[in-house]
Amino acid sequence: MKENSAISVKDITVAYDTKPVVWNAHVDFNKGRLTAIVGPNGAGKSTLVKTVMGLIEPISGEVQVLDNNDLSRIAYVPQSGSVDWDFPATVSDIVLMGRYGKLGWFKRPSKKDKEIASQMIDKVGLSDFKHRQIQQLSGGQQQRVFLARALAQEAEIYILDEPLKGVDIRTEKVLMELLREIVNDGGTVIAVHHDLNSVPEYFDDVVFVNVRIVASGSVEEIFTDENIKKTYDGKRRV
């Protein structure tokens, strides 16, 4: 594992039934960087991050997280479409869940835990919605709630699966400013991203995926028309 790597993916292969979804993937995600994972629909982007999180078992290969493979050092924000928004919980309830990994067995959240959760709700601009049921929020507000929950974990690495999907431009700007703040404070952010046009504006590094890793590195060097064509089979252009 390279010294500056937050996560090192080594020769990962994942298949559903007998069809490979991610094939022989090898990539390093660097510490202190905001990295986009991009590629066409069905390219294995979400599968890759779920494998990193230990939610999917690969056929072969391994994942190294920091220096000790402690997944509690990662905060994960899933796709909004995979969340049961009818679950009867308030904004405060959901964000406080981010503290549960810090609690011992059978312990209740402390005053400090509740204060941290409240601070994160304020940070994402939802102070007036603390007691609102999550199903009563807009899509953009729901995304902010789950980012606040991740922030409450006080993790070192944040992995987000399509955090900007379905949000308006104002919410997009707010979310990306928050993610940039995490990186500026020494954290690492990895996001599955769907909009190629905004990659140069928002991200430091980019990983092109289409079952295989097509290319990875700094946006300045890797975000080229050639790599976009390779990844999207010539069907997509910026």
Side-chain angles (χ1 to χ4, degrees):
M1 186 173 184
K2 296 177 182 177
E3 186 177 342
N4 66 332
S5 292
I7 296 173
S8 183
V9 174
K10 299 179 181 178
D11 304 321
I12 288 293
T13 294
V14 181
Y16 296 144
D17 295 324
T18 57
K19 180 182 179 182
V21 182
V22 174
W23 181 261
N24 201 31
H26 190 102
V27 62
D28 284 284
F29 295 96
N30 294 322
K31 295 177 182 176
R33 304 283 281 180
L34 185 47
T35 300
I37 300 175
V38 301
N41 292 334
K45 303 184 297 296
S46 295
T47 298
L48 178 62
V49 298
K50 287 177 181 177
T51 305
V52 167
M53 289 299 304
L55 301 174
I56 295 175
E57 187 73 25
I59 294 172
S60 62
E62 62 177 356
V63 177
Q64 177 75 36
V65 178
L66 296 170
D67 53 358
N68 63 355
N69 271 348
D70 183 0
L71 293 179
S72 70
R73 297 164 79 179
I74 302 179
Y76 175 58
V77 180
Q79 282 192 32
S80 58
S82 66
V83 177
D84 179 9
W85 296 111
D86 292 327
F87 185 72
T90 65
V91 169
S92 290
D93 293 333
I94 295 295
V95 177
L96 191 57
M97 288 178 186
R99 299 300 301 167
Y100 288 2
K102 306 285 186 183
L103 306 180
W105 287 102
F106 307 114
K107 286 188 178 180
R108 292 180 173 275
S110 66
K111 182 180 178 182
K112 179 185 176 183
D113 292 316
K114 293 176 181 177
E115 286 175 353
I116 290 172
S118 182
Q119 289 168 9
M120 298 313 165
I121 292 171
D122 294 344
K123 195 178 188 73
V124 300
L126 293 176
S127 310
D128 296 335
F129 298 86
K130 288 181 180 179
H131 305 297
R132 187 78 61 89
Q133 294 283 324
I134 56 169
Q135 67 265 33
Q136 297 174 337
L137 304 179
S138 69
Q141 289 168 338
Q142 290 170 343
Q143 286 287 59
R144 292 195 207 187
V145 171
F146 275 82
L147 177 56
R149 183 183 70 170
L151 292 171
Q153 289 181 236
E154 296 183 316
E156 295 173 55
I157 303 170
Y158 294 80
I159 297 179
L160 304 95
D161 196 350
E162 299 265 22
L164 305 184
K165 189 174 182 179
V167 304
D168 58 41
I169 189 66
R170 179 176 173 273
T171 300
E172 177 178 305
K173 295 288 185 184
V174 169
L175 290 173
M176 291 310 303
E177 285 172 5
L178 289 166
L179 297 183
R180 175 55 64 186
E181 191 174 321
I182 291 171
V183 171
N184 290 344
D185 289 340
T188 301
V189 177
I190 301 163
V192 174
H193 189 60
H194 65 280
D195 179 18
L196 281 176
N197 293 299
S198 61
V199 169
E201 178 184 359
Y202 291 142
F203 294 92
D204 304 315
D205 294 341
V206 60
V207 177
F208 286 102
V209 180
N210 193 344
V211 183
R212 297 176 182 271
I213 303 297
V214 176
S216 65
S218 70
V219 169
E220 189 175 47
E221 295 178 0
I222 301 299
F223 194 73
T224 63
D225 203 41
E226 180 183 359
N227 283 329
I228 292 169
K229 286 178 180 177
K230 285 180 182 177
T231 306
Y232 291 87
D233 299 322
K235 297 174 183 176
R236 181 104 178 240
R237 292 177 61 88
V238 175

